[in-house]
Amino acid sequence: MSKRIRAEILVNGLVQGVGFRWFVLRRAHSLGVTGYVRNLPSGEVFTLAEGERHEVEELLKAIKIGPFGAHVTRCTIDWGEPTEEFHQFEIVS
């Protein structure tokens, strides 16, 4: 039996202005993960993802690499219990 989890992921590096949020959105949709991704004023990208453990872990692997043109220097993850408040994955501002 799979367990649903929640991950709050903060990514540092060259991650804005390179299509990072769209990359995360497409990957999350393909995996069936819910939540959101947003740019932060600090230049970082924040992703909140909920789904089956293997789905969220696959999304995390993709985020650590990023799209062509991105350069991820650090990725921090806080794991938790899902709130089930999301019905889709989207880009928010």
Side-chain angles (χ1 to χ4, degrees):
M1 181 172 148
S2 258
K3 181 177 185 334
R4 291 184 59 81
I5 59 171
R6 175 184 181 110
E8 295 182 8
I9 306 161
L10 187 62
V11 183
N12 300 85
L14 178 58
V15 292
Q16 290 190 13
V18 294
F20 202 93
R21 292 174 301 160
W22 289 101
F23 170 81
V24 174
L25 177 76
R26 284 190 301 274
R27 191 70 181 121
H29 283 172
S30 73
L31 291 166
V33 172
T34 61
Y36 65 87
V37 61
R38 76 164 20 129
N39 281 343
L40 299 178
S42 61
E44 299 163 306
V45 172
F46 177 79
T47 302
L48 190 151
E50 292 189 354
E52 298 295 322
R53 176 174 290 280
H54 69 279
E55 296 167 343
V56 175
E57 288 175 347
E58 282 299 311
L59 180 62
L60 179 57
K61 285 180 193 175
I63 286 172
K64 286 180 175 180
I65 297 168
F68 179 79
H71 180 73
V72 176
T73 57
R74 188 174 66 176
C75 186
T76 58
I77 306 104
D78 286 325
W79 298 99
E81 294 296 319
T83 62
E84 306 295 342
E85 64 190 284
F86 306 103
H87 301 289
Q88 62 184 5
F89 195 93
E90 60 188 349
I91 296 173
V92 297
S93 50

